[in-house]
Amino acid sequence: MIHGEIHQNVRQYINGRWETSATTGVSANPSDTSEVVAEYARADRRQVESAIRAAADAFPHWSHSTPQRRADVLDRIGTELLARKDELGLLLAREVGKTLPEAVAEATRAGQTFKFFAGEAMRGGGENMASLRAGVQVDVTREPVGVAGLITPWNSPLAVPATKIAPALAYGNSVVFKPAELVPACGWTLAEIISRAALPAGVFNLVMGSGREAGQALVDSPLVDAVSFTGSARNGERILQAAAARRAKVQLEMGGKNALVVLADADIDHAVDCAVQGAYFSNGQRCTASSRLIVEAAVHDVFVSRLRERLKALKIGHALERGIDIGPLVDEDRLARSLAWVGIAREEGAEHVWGGEPLKRATAGHYMSPALFLAKPGHRIAREEIFGPLACVLRVADYDEALALCNDTPSGLSAGICTNSLKHAMHFRRHAEVGMTMVNLPTAGVDFHVPFGGRKGSGYGPREQGRHAAEFYTTVKTGYMLA
């Protein structure tokens, strides 16, 4: 697809067929709001229920398919994603506003994820154990859960769906996939690639629509055995209550208020690099973004000074423009919310260091300069997830205070530390109350083959990614047999 072309025929994919509906929506390019990226049809509740029934009907056959068949399907999807990574990256950059290199990297990651789970489909696994009783054989095996309802966010519209769809199919589940409304073209394109991978009708289904209607229908349906959701904590809590009430399996990834600790012995320039990448790249629109920068007093002032200079030098502009560090925010609402947080920070008395203004560029878009404040632990910008290009620096006396402040949050996704002390690095890795720790690395940036997820309010249920994905997409069966 070339730049400027409208992505046509963005429809539902149900039971092996493309369907449309009367209600339509539009996604616009956040770098140039005059450009329509996609026109799409919203599924009504009847269509969502039809997709769920199709998945339920297809499950028995797919769940008993051979590992080789499942591996071949996933490998075929991964191969096409990798072959088309530049085209897919261009689409993603136009629809979300990520810089083109980052968008291509996400498309590549999606392909690699499908390739990884092609391998996992072949490995299967199980245990044969000796019984406590003579002459009795015990086998422990894993079986697919059933119909998986997968609800994904707008900020990573290829990588996150791949993280959910690939293991669901690899372990023999059928799928109903609902992408975020802001990214219909990315969701449709991924579904279109999957639709040509020789899956039986009904094994994979795509439904476009709002969380209130399409998403809720997935959560409420007694035919959906497992619900995996990535998004806000508020919506995650609602999904947990509704799905758990009918005893469905639930997996939630709900963001965080991540901290990057900078100790006095750290390489300050490297720490600044970690802070800029973690807090501001992708406009902070990442659940792993480090919006709290906890800095030891001895290096506080020099760190803030160098960070300010780095922010001043960042290039903000059209996502497809060469040399751009940060593109636009995803839509007008996200820009307005981020600017509102700047106002809240000022009202509460946080000291403004840099940025936080709307920007004008050659094309009309949702541009904003990255904002930096000096804050106190009680300020809202230091307590609540912002999901925008705003970070605050918190001064601490020593490592012990830094660790305590790092853990003083209801979230627990990712946390990082910049230090040259092995003692502090090892202690931090053990005592940071998060699902992922980073030493001398940005808090944002993870590998696709290892577990991903958080503690406390950041997550619920088994981890995503890697071999640990089997914990959610399979159920364990213990079999006894008299030999």
Side-chain angles (χ1 to χ4, degrees):
M1 184 175 63
I2 61 172
H3 175 42
E5 178 185 344
I6 296 176
H7 205 86
Q8 299 286 358
N9 300 320
V10 179
R11 300 167 290 165
Q12 324 308 321
Y13 184 69
I14 300 173
N15 201 22
R17 297 185 300 272
W18 294 102
E19 297 185 5
T20 190
S21 53
T23 305
T24 59
V26 172
S27 71
N29 185 341
S31 294
D32 181 356
T33 55
S34 67
E35 179 187 348
V36 173
V37 177
E39 297 176 351
Y40 66 99
R42 293 186 178 96
D44 55 32
R45 195 174 186 94
R46 177 194 59 80
Q47 287 180 306
V48 178
E49 291 170 352
S50 177
I52 295 169
R53 286 194 301 272
D57 290 342
F59 172 70
H61 174 70
W62 181 246
S63 66
H64 289 96
S65 60
T66 66
Q68 186 66 63
R69 173 141 191 226
R70 297 196 298 274
D72 288 345
V73 165
L74 293 170
D75 187 68
R76 189 176 295 117
I77 296 167
T79 296
E80 182 166 348
L81 286 166
L82 292 175
R84 297 173 59 185
K85 65 182 187 298
D86 293 330
E87 170 197 349
L88 295 170
L90 175 60
L91 173 62
L92 195 157
R94 291 175 58 227
E95 192 160 52
V96 181
K98 288 187 179 182
T99 62
L100 186 56
E102 185 179 3
V104 172
E106 179 174 333
T108 302
R109 181 189 180 98
Q112 292 169 334
T113 298
F114 274 96
K115 290 277 191 177
F116 174 86
F117 281 106
E120 289 300 290
M122 294 296 292
R123 277 182 273 274
E127 298 176 88
N128 179 266
M129 306 173 69
S131 173
L132 302 179
R133 293 166 288 173
V136 176
Q137 177 181 314
V138 181
D139 292 302
V140 180
T141 57
R142 288 189 175 274
E143 297 182 356
V145 174
V147 176
L150 310 179
I151 304 173
T152 61
W154 50 262
N155 62 323
S156 294
L158 294 178
V160 172
T163 295
K164 299 180 189 295
I165 296 168
L169 296 177
Y171 296 121
N173 301 279
S174 54
V175 167
V176 181
F177 165 46
K178 194 205 86 63
E181 277 204 280
L182 281 174
V183 288
C186 287
W188 180 88
T189 302
L190 179 58
E192 193 267 341
I193 290 172
I194 295 172
S195 75
R196 291 186 284 99
L199 279 167
V203 171
F204 172 82
N205 304 270
L206 166 74
V207 290
M208 299 283 185
S210 70
R212 289 185 302 275
E213 186 166 5
Q216 195 64 50
L218 276 176
V219 172
D220 292 341
S221 174
L223 296 178
V224 175
D225 302 285
V227 177
S228 180
F229 167 82
T230 299
S232 70
R234 181 180 60 182
N235 289 333
E237 290 294 335
R238 293 174 181 170
I239 288 171
L240 177 59
Q241 292 175 15
R246 59 178 186 79
R247 296 179 178 84
K249 209 168 185 180
V250 181
Q251 179 186 63
L252 304 174
E253 296 296 343
M254 299 180 290
K257 191 64 179 174
N258 311 295
L260 176 69
V261 172
V262 180
L263 298 185
D265 64 0
D267 179 324
I268 298 302
D269 287 332
H270 182 72
V272 168
D273 287 341
C274 290
V276 171
Q277 291 183 46
Y280 297 105
F281 280 23
S282 294
N283 262 314
Q285 297 172 137
R286 296 187 284 192
C287 58
T288 51
S290 43
S291 57
R292 292 187 300 151
L293 309 174
I294 301 173
V295 184
E296 202 168 359
V299 293
H300 175 276
D301 292 350
V302 65
F303 175 84
V304 172
S305 175
R306 294 187 189 180
L307 178 56
R308 182 176 183 270
E309 293 307 306
R310 281 292 307 278
L311 296 182
K312 290 169 64 176
L314 291 177
K315 296 180 180 179
I316 296 93
H318 197 295
L320 302 184
E321 186 178 338
R322 289 183 180 273
I324 291 300
D325 296 304
I326 301 173
L329 284 93
V330 69
D331 67 355
E332 184 177 4
D333 179 63
R334 182 56 54 187
L335 173 61
R337 290 187 191 186
S338 296
L339 293 173
W341 273 111
V342 173
I344 291 169
R346 292 179 184 274
E347 291 169 6
E348 291 191 337
E351 182 180 340
H352 178 248
V353 176
W354 176 257
E357 296 87 21
L359 299 176
K360 290 187 177 181
R361 292 295 183 260
T363 54
H366 310 302
Y367 302 106
M368 172 182 169
S369 58
L372 179 65
F373 284 86
L374 306 184
K376 303 294 184 184
H379 288 156
R380 286 182 62 190
I381 60 169
R383 302 293 301 175
E384 301 178 32
E385 186 176 31
I386 294 171
F387 223 69
L390 189 153
C392 64
V393 177
L394 301 163
R395 183 195 299 260
V396 292
D398 53 26
Y399 169 75
D400 290 336
E401 185 181 358
L403 178 63
L405 187 55
C406 173
N407 290 335
D408 182 23
T409 171
S411 302
L413 182 55
S414 179
I417 186 170
C418 291
T419 180
N420 283 316
S421 165
L422 181 60
K423 172 186 173 182
H424 285 141
M426 296 303 293
H427 188 273
F428 184 84
R429 292 180 69 179
R430 175 62 182 86
H431 292 89
E433 297 170 356
V434 294
M436 299 176 290
T437 59
M438 313 288 182
V439 177
N440 294 322
L441 290 166
T443 59
V446 297
D447 294 339
F448 63 84
H449 69 302
V450 294
F452 177 94
R455 297 164 58 175
K456 300 192 281 189
S458 289
Y460 179 88
R463 292 287 193 263
E464 293 192 302
Q465 298 190 169
R467 302 199 70 180
H468 285 255
E471 296 296 328
F472 180 70
Y473 291 104
T474 65
T475 184
V476 172
K477 178 181 283 184
T478 304
Y480 295 86
M481 185 170 66
L482 183 64

